[in-house]
Amino acid sequence: MLDNNQLLRFTTAGSVDDGKSTLIGRLLYDSKSIFEDQLEAIENTSKKKGHDGVDLALFTDGLRDEREQGITIDVAYRYFTTPKRKFIIADTPGHIQYTRNMVTGASTANAAIILVDARHGVIEQTRRHSFIASLLQIPHVIVCINKMDLVDYSEEAYNKVIEQFEEFSSKMLVKDIRFIPISALKGDNVVNRSENMNWYQGAPLLHTLETLHISSDINKVDARFPVQTVLRPQSEGFIDYRGYAGRVAGGVFRKGDQITVLPSGFTSSIKTIDTFDGEVEEAFAPMSVAITLEDDIDVSRGDMIVRSNNKPNTAQDLEVMLCWLHDNSAKPRAKYSIQHTSNDQKAMIKEVIYKIDINTLERITDDSELHMNDICKVKIRTTKPLMIDSYRENRTTGSIILVDDNTNETVAAGMVI
């Protein structure tokens, strides 16, 4: 049975004019998730533009530039809910110069919807977006083969795209890939089953999103609790209370568990697990809790509480897949602040091992200049050890960001290999 409050985050990606914004508009429109005043405003804009019906793409194109150009530039987040589930959509841009926006929008997603135009099949942009989805370890990929109405709802055209996609996706690390033939414009197989494609026996897109099994996406084995702050209320009834607050990043913690605090290596056991609503017997990702320990040991922000029999790697030298997010290129051996869970340290990019040609997905080994939207494998050295897992095992404890100390701007996001 599905938890009615379960939240699914999904991102959409596709080439320009593949119909991403129209698809999201159709999802919101047909699932009755649009407020009347929004609908009215968009009906008026559609009339001004000379459209016969409602231009569904306008529901997500929030920036004026996007409405004027008819394209997506920044990541547009939309929230909607059905009786079965809550959803957050990150509508990400299709252009190559917005690769960083796709990385940002997709980094927390449970699923990626990749749109393919049924007339053009798998193109360079499709490969690029699928590669980024694979790099970010998005567990579920739904390939929506759109504009089926323009190929007369042909099963042959649909199968051809599947064949093309499967040929190159065999090299990707995605566990679950599904294919759905749709027409976002006409509404076929988006919310309601299509009467034009009786040959397709699968579920429409919304039903697929509502029933996608995402509970096993979170690492339930490796218990990780990065400490964000220490709670010392000093108020009546809590004079001696010392709780370590944060969000569980993986695994399950229970009262009585033997724990180790890293990097110090002090050990203790869990006395209580407290939440806003009172004490609980166990905590699991992504719950926010305060943990108290049986022993009075030194724990502070940036430390990590783990189970004593299951520890992450402690390392100062990291190999990371990095996406450069900033206009200014990376300076060789420049110092940055590295943020990993609640831990802030200083770090330096020691070496660029290779860059990835985002068009051909080939490795470039003779160019170590990092520019905006570049994706590369680098070696990073930190001033103090970080408690890390590989990104494949845990997307929270396996990710880092680099911040420029002078401007406080985030310059790169990375995944620990």
Side-chain angles (χ1 to χ4, degrees):
M1 198 178 120
L2 281 169
D3 172 5
N4 283 6
N5 290 322
Q6 200 177 36
L7 174 69
L8 175 91
R9 295 170 183 269
F10 67 92
T11 180
T12 57
S15 184
V16 181
D17 291 335
D18 273 353
K20 295 188 305 297
S21 299
T22 306
L23 173 64
I24 294 170
R26 174 61 69 190
L27 262 178
L28 297 172
Y29 187 69
D30 283 7
S31 63
K32 312 275 189 291
S33 301
I34 294 160
F35 294 117
E36 280 180 23
D37 57 338
Q38 276 179 306
L39 190 55
E40 208 175 296
I42 280 157
E43 279 171 349
N44 292 339
T45 311
S46 302
K47 272 182 202 151
K48 277 183 203 159
K49 288 179 122 189
H51 297 299
D52 295 337
V54 177
D55 182 357
L56 296 166
L58 296 176
F59 290 124
T60 55
D61 288 346
L63 300 173
R64 186 174 294 153
D65 283 358
E66 296 180 328
R67 289 191 178 176
E68 285 171 2
Q69 295 179 48
I71 60 164
T72 301
I73 294 173
D74 203 353
V75 183
Y77 291 98
R78 287 292 174 272
Y79 175 91
F80 77 105
T81 182
T82 70
K84 293 185 182 168
R85 217 173 227 172
K86 296 172 181 168
F87 299 94
I88 292 176
I89 313 168
D91 181 21
T92 61
H95 294 68
I96 183 167
Q97 67 264 41
Y98 304 123
T99 301
R100 63 176 188 161
N101 304 52
M102 183 182 168
V103 170
T104 311
S107 58
T108 55
N110 303 97
I113 295 177
I114 294 176
L115 266 87
V116 179
D117 189 320
R119 298 166 303 171
H120 305 145
V122 171
I123 57 171
E124 196 180 275
Q125 288 277 59
T126 317
R127 289 195 183 89
R128 184 183 307 136
H129 293 141
S130 305
F131 169 73
I132 294 172
S134 159
L135 187 70
L136 290 166
Q137 297 286 314
I138 297 176
H140 311 277
V141 169
I142 302 167
V143 181
C144 285
I145 298 161
N146 191 22
K147 307 198 179 180
M148 289 299 292
D149 52 313
L150 300 181
V151 292
D152 297 326
Y153 300 104
S154 152
E155 186 179 3
E156 198 184 326
Y158 169 70
N159 288 333
K160 193 176 162 192
V161 176
I162 292 180
E163 208 176 295
Q164 288 175 341
F165 195 90
E166 284 181 337
E167 192 183 322
F168 91 93
S169 69
S170 58
K171 303 183 191 91
M172 297 189 331
L173 299 165
V174 180
K175 303 181 190 93
D176 175 27
I177 301 178
R178 302 162 190 230
F179 299 91
I180 305 177
I182 65 163
S183 166
L185 193 65
K186 309 275 190 199
D188 295 273
N189 283 338
V190 179
V191 171
N192 305 311
R193 180 176 282 285
S194 169
E195 291 173 7
N196 298 307
M197 292 180 274
N198 293 330
W199 45 264
Y200 172 71
Q201 297 303 309
L205 176 61
L206 183 62
H207 181 76
T208 304
L209 291 169
E210 285 178 333
T211 55
L212 212 54
H213 179 68
I214 57 171
S215 301
S216 56
D217 295 349
I218 293 169
N219 182 329
K220 299 237 172 57
V221 177
D222 305 314
R224 306 284 184 261
F225 185 76
V227 176
Q228 287 181 15
T229 189
V230 180
L231 301 178
R232 298 290 311 275
Q234 304 282 307
S235 58
E236 204 175 322
F238 295 96
I239 295 296
D240 296 323
Y241 186 90
R242 180 192 284 266
Y244 306 109
R247 174 181 266 190
V248 182
V252 182
F253 288 92
R254 295 182 180 86
K255 280 168 72 168
D257 277 355
Q258 296 298 309
I259 61 94
T260 299
V261 178
L262 296 175
S264 66
F266 292 134
T267 58
S268 183
S269 58
I270 293 178
K271 185 177 179 181
T272 62
I273 301 172
D274 302 310
T275 71
F276 181 75
D277 299 316
E279 199 178 317
V280 293
E281 289 298 308
E282 61 177 30
F284 47 86
M287 285 171 67
S288 294
V289 297
I291 290 176
T292 66
L293 303 177
E294 293 288 359
D295 304 281
D296 194 5
I297 56 178
D298 183 20
V299 183
S300 54
R301 176 180 167 83
D303 290 350
M304 191 180 283
I305 295 174
V306 301
R307 277 216 298 275
S308 297
N309 60 357
N310 178 334
K311 295 175 186 169
N313 298 317
T314 303
Q316 279 180 270
D317 289 295
L318 319 175
E319 284 199 357
V320 176
M321 289 301 292
L322 207 63
C323 177
W324 196 257
L325 307 174
H326 204 266
D327 303 335
N328 297 336
S329 55
K331 304 172 200 76
R333 302 186 79 79
K335 297 267 196 319
Y336 296 98
S337 285
I338 185 169
Q339 294 186 358
H340 170 260
T341 63
S342 56
N343 198 344
D344 297 351
Q345 302 290 348
K346 294 285 182 271
M348 176 175 75
I349 299 173
K350 278 174 67 181
E351 184 190 344
V352 176
I353 302 167
Y354 61 77
K355 282 166 57 169
I356 289 171
D357 182 325
I358 203 75
N359 298 320
T360 62
L361 307 187
E362 287 170 355
R363 295 176 179 185
I364 305 164
T365 52
D366 56 355
D367 177 9
S368 56
E369 272 284 297
L370 294 188
H371 302 289
M372 190 176 2
N373 297 315
D374 278 348
I375 290 177
C376 53
K377 183 179 178 182
V378 299
K379 282 185 180 171
I380 289 177
R381 170 93 181 169
T382 62
T383 47
K384 290 181 184 170
L386 298 178
M387 289 68 75
I388 53 165
D389 296 289
S390 78
Y391 186 80
R392 191 179 303 175
E393 287 166 3
N394 189 319
R395 286 166 83 185
T396 305
T397 57
S399 57
I400 57 112
I401 61 170
L402 295 181
V403 176
D404 185 320
D405 284 341
N406 299 324
T407 61
N408 273 339
E409 288 178 303
T410 302
V411 292
M415 292 142 274
V416 178
I417 297 169

